[in-house]
């Protein structure tokens, strides 16, 4: 039996990775582009569109490899190139020096090919139809939500006529094996109850629920299960789409990615994770704590195996210390009981259905949730912006949640995003300033993540990208 790990890149010699050149045809994703669209992608001077297309495409082709560093990925395959070949009957993609793991017998794996053309579709649509379009006022809350709606519709993720059944699953891409197996158990129980899965599309807690749900769906003879992945360019290299994802959307930034989750999903399950998962928790709590959302049902469950009990106790204590008891009332913690999690989510989604039926709201897009602008506007984690975050209790609790969310978003950028890693290398650590009653819990939580290898993949030494100033 071979000892080859299929998740490791193929080495021809130390430091040299095997690559493949190929010409790829679209599969039900995109078969025609205008000459102007092709020119924009081929011209690297067009607002960085080609660079964006190249980096996202490389991340998709790197699916399955245990590499969560966007900068390292681009350096590893610095000779990678991708271009559009326009023909009379449509287009093809020409890839050069692409990771060999994306191919079987010199033919690209079908799922990876689909994801590759999804990159092309979403990069073009966002650039041509959203950015700079006066139809979308991206300075207003309503305009941002409208843009999210149109991007999801363009990705064919809005399905009118379906009863609410979509469960969003959040959690870390570097969880341990016991935690990963538990995410599969929960996914299996959700699949048995005819519930579909939406995640951040990467490995770990984003892959496990989908993998479990495929078995549950198969037992129920459900052959049209939805395994939706939502990502964004800055993080796709760290969380490349896993092969189970059959519907993928690439949103332009983390804020629109997070809004897409809560507008599409009918409930959220949170598994163990690190800074990125905490960012997601703070995001949804920032929404649920808004006074306008008090009457809107939205089931939220934190869960993990018995070995994760201390992790969730720490998360719960952090939320209580920073946001208070009201924030703690918006979620339920269920440890080591996958059936109870699935039943809780099923019952919660029934309440969502009844509420939307009575209020005449769409089942496929949650229009009624009020999302404040401080959760919608893109946060650029520069050293100055991180230093100037308002981390104190002299503000509405939903606004504090939003500012804490930005702090953790900056840490994620410093950990895994190319621009964040480069900024840390050039200017040193991000500095977080705030009231001691906020900063002590933040520092304690981040330190626990580092101790438990929740900041990077296990086996890599974590070097903090931040300093907490108390």
């Amino acid at each position: 039996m071979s000892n080859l790990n299929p998740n490791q890149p193929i080495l021809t010699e130390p430091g040299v990775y095997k690559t493949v050149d190929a010409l790829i045809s679209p599969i039900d994703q995109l078969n025609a582009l205008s000459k102007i669209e092709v020119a924009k992608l081929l011209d690297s001077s067009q607002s960085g569109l080609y660079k964006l297309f190249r980096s996202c495409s490389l991340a998709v082709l790197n699916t399955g490899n245990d590499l969560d560093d966007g900068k390292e990925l681009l350096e590893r395959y610095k000779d990678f190139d991708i271009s559009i070949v326009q023909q009379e009957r449509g287009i093809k993609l020409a890839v050069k020096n692409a990771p060999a793991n994306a191919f079987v017998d010199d033919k690209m794996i079908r799922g990876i090919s689909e994801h590759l053309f999804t990159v092309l579709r979403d990069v073009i649509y966002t650039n041509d139809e959203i950015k700079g379009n006066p139809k979308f006022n991206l300075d207003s809350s309503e305009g941002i939500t409208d843009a999210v709606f149109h991007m999801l519709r363009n990705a064919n993720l809005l399905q009118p006529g379906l009863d609410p059944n979509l469960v969003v699953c959040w959690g870390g891409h570097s969880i341990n094996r016991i935690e990963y197996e538990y995410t599969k158990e929960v996914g299996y129980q959700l699949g048995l109850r005819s519930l579909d899965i939406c995640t951040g599309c990467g490995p770990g807690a984003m892959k496990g629920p989908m993998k479990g749900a495929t078995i549950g769906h198969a037992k129920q003879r459900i052959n049209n299960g939805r395994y939706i992945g939502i990502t964004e360019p800055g993080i796709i290299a760290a969380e490349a789409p896993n092969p189970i994802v059959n519907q993928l959307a690439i949103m332009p930034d983390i804020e629109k990615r997070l809004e897409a989750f809560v507008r599409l999903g009918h409930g959220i399950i949170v598994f163990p994770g690190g800074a990125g998962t905490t960012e997601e928790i703070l995001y949804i709590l920032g929404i649920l704590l808004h006074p306008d959302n008090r009457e809107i049902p939205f089931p939220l469950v934190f869960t993990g195996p018995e070995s994760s009990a201390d992790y969730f106790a720490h998360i719960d204590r952090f939320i209580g210390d920073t946001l208070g008891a009201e924030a703690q009332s918006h979620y339920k913690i269920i440890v080591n009981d996958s059936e109870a999690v699935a039943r809780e989510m099923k019952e919660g989604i029934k309440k969502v259905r009844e509420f939307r039926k009575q209020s005449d709201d769409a089942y496929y897009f949650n229009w009624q949730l009020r999302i404040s602008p401080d959760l919608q506007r893109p946060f650029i984690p520069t050293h100055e912006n991180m230093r100037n975050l308002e981390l104190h209790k002299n503000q509405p609790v939903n606004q504090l949640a939003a500012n804490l969310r930005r702090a953790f978003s900056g840490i994620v950028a410093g950990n895994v995003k190319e621009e964040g890693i480069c900024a840390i290398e050039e200017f040193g650590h991000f500095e977080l300033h705030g009231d001691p009653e906020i900063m002590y819990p933040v520092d304690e939580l981040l330190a626990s993540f580092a101790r438990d290898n929740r900041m990077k993949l296990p086996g890599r030494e974590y070097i903090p990208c931040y300093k907490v100033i108390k």
Side-chain angles (χ1 to χ4, degrees), residues 292-417:
D292 291 353
N293 296 327
R294 284 199 177 119
E295 304 302 320
I296 299 177
F298 201 101
L300 177 60
V301 176
F302 298 172
T303 191
E306 187 63 41
S307 59
S308 301
D310 288 345
Y311 167 85
F312 283 111
H314 204 158
I315 290 288
D316 186 49
R317 184 165 63 252
F318 166 77
I319 293 170
D321 289 343
T322 55
L323 302 178
E326 182 185 357
Q328 292 173 310
S329 71
H330 284 288
Y331 56 83
K332 180 175 286 190
I333 298 176
I334 301 175
V335 175
N336 203 36
D337 194 337
S338 58
E339 289 187 45
V341 172
R343 287 195 299 268
E344 180 73 20
M345 193 54 53
K346 184 78 171 181
E347 288 301 312
I349 289 177
K350 284 182 181 178
K351 294 176 182 177
V352 170
R353 184 186 187 280
E354 289 305 310
F355 178 84
R356 296 203 192 174
K357 184 177 181 180
Q358 292 172 9
S359 59
D360 201 28
D361 194 16
Y363 289 165
Y364 56 87
F365 192 84
N366 193 339
W367 287 105
Q368 294 193 56
L369 272 182
R370 173 82 165 90
I371 304 180
S372 58
D374 51 5
L375 287 170
Q376 290 181 304
R377 295 194 181 108
F379 174 70
I380 309 301
T382 64
H383 282 70
E384 180 180 6
N385 287 342
M386 290 288 281
R387 190 163 45 246
N388 292 334
L389 285 173
E390 296 184 8
L391 303 177
H392 57 78
K393 290 195 174 182
N394 188 26
Q395 59 186 312
V397 67
N398 61 297
Q399 189 173 330
L400 173 57
N403 284 323
L404 282 168
R405 197 285 301 178
R406 288 170 172 162
F408 281 86
S409 184
I411 291 168
V412 172
N415 283 348
V416 300
K417 296 185 181 182

Side-chain angles (χ1 to χ4, degrees), residues 385-456:
N385 287 342
M386 290 288 281
R387 190 163 45 246
N388 292 334
L389 285 173
E390 296 184 8
L391 303 177
H392 57 78
K393 290 195 174 182
N394 188 26
Q395 59 186 312
V397 67
N398 61 297
Q399 189 173 330
L400 173 57
N403 284 323
L404 282 168
R405 197 285 301 178
R406 288 170 172 162
F408 281 86
S409 184
I411 291 168
V412 172
N415 283 348
V416 300
K417 296 185 181 182
E418 180 191 4
E419 66 275 16
I421 294 170
C422 290
I424 298 299
E425 289 176 351
E426 184 174 0
F427 301 111
H429 296 85
F430 288 138
E431 291 184 358
L432 295 173
H433 297 256
D435 292 348
E437 58 186 334
I438 299 294
M439 302 318 297
Y440 276 110
V442 168
D443 194 21
E444 184 184 1
L445 186 67
L446 289 170
S448 72
F449 290 164
R451 286 195 304 270
D452 296 340
N453 290 318
R454 295 192 184 277
M455 290 296 210
K456 299 278 275 185

Side-chain angles (χ1 to χ4, degrees), residues 9-13 15-20 77 97-102 106:
I10 302 173
L11 285 166
T12 57
E13 57 184 89
V16 179
Y17 299 92
K18 185 176 180 181
T19 61
V20 174
Y77 296 99
N97 300 308
N101 295 68
D106 296 322

Side-chain angles (χ1 to χ4, degrees), residues 2 27 32 46 97 106 138 171 271 342 363 389:
S2 172
I27 306 173
Q46 288 284 336
N97 300 308
D106 296 322
L138 299 182
F271 296 103
Y363 289 165
L389 285 173

Side-chain angles (χ1 to χ4, degrees), residues 50-124:
Y50 174 76
K51 179 181 178 183
L52 175 65
F53 175 50
R54 176 181 178 270
S55 62
C56 290
S57 297
L58 178 57
V60 165
L61 291 166
N62 194 55
T63 295
N65 291 334
D66 293 339
L67 180 64
D68 65 343
D69 187 324
K71 183 172 179 286
E72 183 179 339
L73 176 62
L74 291 170
E75 290 174 351
R76 178 180 289 182
Y77 296 99
K78 60 185 178 181
D79 294 328
F80 168 72
D81 186 49
I82 183 167
S83 60
I84 298 170
V85 179
Q86 191 163 22
Q87 301 176 327
E88 292 299 323
R89 292 182 294 175
I91 64 165
K92 292 186 178 183
L93 291 177
V95 296
K96 294 183 178 180
N97 300 308
N101 295 68
F103 298 82
V104 173
D105 297 335
D106 296 322
K107 186 174 182 180
M108 185 175 287
I109 296 169
R110 182 184 175 107
I112 293 178
S113 177
E114 290 179 356
H115 292 166
L116 193 61
F117 279 92
T118 295
V119 170
L120 182 60
R121 177 200 68 198
D122 290 351
V123 166
I124 289 174

Side-chain angles (χ1 to χ4, degrees), residues 105-392:
D105 297 335
D106 296 322
K107 186 174 182 180
M108 185 175 287
I109 296 169
R110 182 184 175 107
I112 293 178
S113 177
E114 290 179 356
H115 292 166
L116 193 61
F117 279 92
T118 295
V119 170
L120 182 60
R121 177 200 68 198
D122 290 351
V123 166
I124 289 174
Y125 184 78
T126 298
N127 187 78
D128 286 3
E129 301 297 331
I130 304 297
K131 292 182 178 178
N133 187 341
K135 177 181 176 182
F136 301 105
N137 180 7
L138 299 182
D139 291 324
S140 73
S141 180
E142 294 79 7
I144 292 172
T145 295
D146 196 34
V148 169
F149 174 88
H150 278 79
M151 285 183 271
L152 293 176
R153 187 174 67 179
N154 182 66
N156 200 33
L157 297 187
L158 304 182
Q159 299 290 330
L162 297 181
D163 272 347
N165 78 330
L166 187 61
V167 180
V168 172
C169 295
W170 287 338
H173 67 289
S174 58
I175 56 175
N176 62 46
R177 191 69 196 180
I178 294 173
E179 291 170 344
Y180 176 68
E181 292 297 328
Y182 181 77
T183 69
K184 290 198 295 184
E185 292 175 19
V186 172
Y188 172 68
Q189 294 297 333
L190 295 173
L192 286 177
R193 290 161 176 81
S194 303
L195 297 171
D196 290 336
I197 308 295
C198 175
T199 77
C201 86
M206 291 165 278
K207 179 182 178 182
M210 291 183 173
K211 197 167 186 178
T214 60
I215 305 301
H217 287 161
K219 286 190 173 183
Q220 295 289 15
R221 299 300 186 261
I222 297 171
N223 56 15
N224 59 347
R226 303 176 74 198
Y227 314 107
I228 298 173
I230 302 177
T231 187
E232 56 100 6
I235 208 165
I236 191 171
E239 298 174 357
N242 72 68
I244 302 172
V245 172
N246 61 11
Q247 290 183 284
L248 176 66
I250 301 172
M251 309 301 285
D253 52 63
I254 188 65
E255 286 77 13
K256 293 178 184 63
R257 180 197 194 198
L258 290 169
E259 181 162 354
F261 282 127
V262 300
R263 298 291 183 189
L264 272 181
H266 303 109
I268 294 176
I269 295 173
V270 181
F271 296 103
T277 303
T278 307
E279 176 186 3
E280 292 164 339
I281 290 171
L282 291 165
Y283 180 84
I284 186 60
L285 290 178
I287 294 173
L288 299 180
L289 288 166
H290 194 289
D292 291 353
N293 296 327
R294 284 199 177 119
E295 304 302 320
I296 299 177
F298 201 101
L300 177 60
V301 176
F302 298 172
T303 191
E306 187 63 41
S307 59
S308 301
D310 288 345
Y311 167 85
F312 283 111
H314 204 158
I315 290 288
D316 186 49
R317 184 165 63 252
F318 166 77
I319 293 170
D321 289 343
T322 55
L323 302 178
E326 182 185 357
Q328 292 173 310
S329 71
H330 284 288
Y331 56 83
K332 180 175 286 190
I333 298 176
I334 301 175
V335 175
N336 203 36
D337 194 337
S338 58
E339 289 187 45
V341 172
R343 287 195 299 268
E344 180 73 20
M345 193 54 53
K346 184 78 171 181
E347 288 301 312
I349 289 177
K350 284 182 181 178
K351 294 176 182 177
V352 170
R353 184 186 187 280
E354 289 305 310
F355 178 84
R356 296 203 192 174
K357 184 177 181 180
Q358 292 172 9
S359 59
D360 201 28
D361 194 16
Y363 289 165
Y364 56 87
F365 192 84
N366 193 339
W367 287 105
Q368 294 193 56
L369 272 182
R370 173 82 165 90
I371 304 180
S372 58
D374 51 5
L375 287 170
Q376 290 181 304
R377 295 194 181 108
F379 174 70
I380 309 301
T382 64
H383 282 70
E384 180 180 6
N385 287 342
M386 290 288 281
R387 190 163 45 246
N388 292 334
L389 285 173
E390 296 184 8
L391 303 177
H392 57 78

